[in-house]
Amino acid sequence: MKKKKITMVAVLFIVMGINTSFVKNTTVWNNKQCAVVLTYDDAIDIDLDNVVPALDSVNLKGTFYIIGNSSVVGKRLDEWRLAAKHGHELGNHSLFHPCDGSLPGRGFVTPDGDLSKYTVTRAVQEIRANNILLKAIDGKDKRTFAYPCGDLKIGGVNFYTGLRNDFVGARGVTGGLQTADHVDLDNIDCYVIQDKPAEYMIDLVKKAQQTHTLLVFLFHGVGGGHNINENRGEHTKLLHYLKQNEKDIWVAPMVDVAEKIKEVQKK
């Protein structure tokens, strides 16, 4: 049986009667109370027009989940490359954003983009092709994945299983706050934000601070550009709260946070 290493600091806390789980859960977040990840889906103009400038203005880094065939990728390639140079992650949101058209409420899914008609092999190949495109933009090998429409399976099979070695982790769409050792790196929890007041988002951050957990936000449009939209001013208020409390909150791209979590889960 493998013995766990106990550091002198941990011993000191035990002697003093301090909860060592608290120590562990703050150490993983760069010795801060919690981690917050800001993610933005679909590679739309608003990301470059509104979001990147807002993040850069307060020196916070986000993760942008890129659809490879988005026209915004091709026509604004240099701007995406610059965003990556500024420390933002370009994550993989598949090549064509296929969604399961067999599910209720999926009338928007076209026959060509119906994940339920895919094979697992096709899904894996397209996602890997998008990784090649993204590396051509930012030169990076490590990144994370986000499930289009939050769909995990094809014919009852989780297609991401064959992609575990290609990514540090994968973001889902189910809300939740979790400590590092309870995060499922195959389906990382997040909160989908649409027309929410800043107070709602800031309250979530405060809960993460109190519970020493990971909080992931999922945005689409910020100030327009998508039918799933968040008010630009409310989004700005959230960024200002995060900036004002950065001594207690680790705000980082998903790839950096997922790597930290992976380290913790290996111990």
Side-chain angles (χ1 to χ4, degrees), residues 84-127:
K85 286 182 179 178
H86 286 174
H88 304 293
E89 178 189 2
L90 303 186
N92 190 321
H93 203 30
S94 79
L95 196 58
F96 300 114
H97 200 280
C99 296
D100 189 338
S102 69
L103 298 176
R106 293 292 176 82
F108 62 88
V109 178
T110 64
D112 288 339
D114 190 344
L115 188 67
S116 69
K117 303 296 192 296
Y118 269 53
T119 64
V120 171
T121 299
R122 178 184 173 186
V124 168
Q125 288 176 341
E126 288 183 2
I127 292 165

Side-chain angles (χ1 to χ4, degrees), residues 45-59:
D45 282 314
I46 287 298
D47 290 336
L48 296 169
D49 295 337
N50 291 352
V51 180
V52 170
L55 291 170
D56 287 348
S57 71
V58 290
N59 195 29

